[in-house]
Amino acid sequence: MPSYAMAVQDVRGAPRDEVMHGTRAVDAAGHAMKLVLVNMSASGLMARCEGSPKAGDSLRIQLPIVGDVDAVVRWSLGGRIGCELRQVLPLSDYYGMLSVMIRHA
């Protein structure tokens, strides 16, 4: 009999890179919150957050190299959020950003 873990599939479109990077985000109402980015791809991220954003909320997230990016919260659970970036990051910028995050981890 298959286990629940085997039945759950990862349906994200892109593999994620593990990071541990502290940053900030601002919601649509202008409220700032601290984030710790846990993993990233050029099109999305998962983070631990200080605030309580809900699915559908818009955030402006500060990233090294690329600056502020717009994202939409896709899920929120127990102080963690999953976000989709409104625009996919160019790979050259993404890999530059990753190198900064890893160097400062």
Side-chain angles (χ1 to χ4, degrees), residues 26-37:
V26 177
D27 66 17
H31 300 111
M33 69 185 78
K34 292 181 183 177
L35 298 179
V36 175
L37 304 179

Side-chain angles (χ1 to χ4, degrees), residues 70-104:
D70 293 318
V72 61
V73 177
R74 291 296 177 199
W75 59 266
S76 177
L77 179 64
R80 294 179 300 141
I81 57 173
C83 296
E84 179 181 2
L85 302 181
R86 298 247 186 224
Q87 292 190 329
V88 175
L89 299 174
L91 288 181
S92 60
D93 292 342
Y94 177 71
Y95 289 122
M97 176 194 70
L98 276 183
S99 71
V100 169
M101 287 180 174
I102 292 167
R103 198 172 329 148
H104 293 104

Side-chain angles (χ1 to χ4, degrees), residues 28-56:
H31 300 111
M33 69 185 78
K34 292 181 183 177
L35 298 179
V36 175
L37 304 179
V38 175
N39 64 47
M40 291 225 39
S41 73
S43 60
L45 59 89
M46 183 181 80
R48 292 188 200 128
C49 64
E50 175 183 78
S52 54
K54 310 258 185 290

